[in-house]
Amino acid sequence: MTHLPYIVAAYALALLLGGWLSIAATLRLSRARRRLEAIEAASGRRARRQTS
């Protein structure tokens, strides 16, 4: 009996999990950047209002 199918399955699961985590991190990063841009834009508007 060969253990090759189990080894292949373990590597496939590791690759899928790594891919899943990478995609999730990329999506979180892009959402965080958009939120930061919105916060910076809002604070920039407030700063301009206070100086006027």
Side-chain angles (χ1 to χ4, degrees):
M1 181 174 163
T2 179
H3 297 300
L4 187 60
Y6 297 105
I7 295 169
V8 170
Y11 276 103
L13 283 173
L15 289 173
L16 286 173
L17 181 62
W20 179 269
L21 292 175
S22 297
I23 291 169
T26 303
L27 291 174
R28 279 196 319 267
L29 181 62
S30 65
R31 269 188 255 135
R33 282 185 177 156
R34 278 184 296 199
R35 289 180 68 187
L36 180 60
E37 287 173 2
I39 291 168
E40 286 177 343
S43 68
R45 276 185 259 139
R46 271 192 232 120
R48 276 185 257 139
R49 270 192 230 145
Q50 290 173 356
T51 58
S52 303

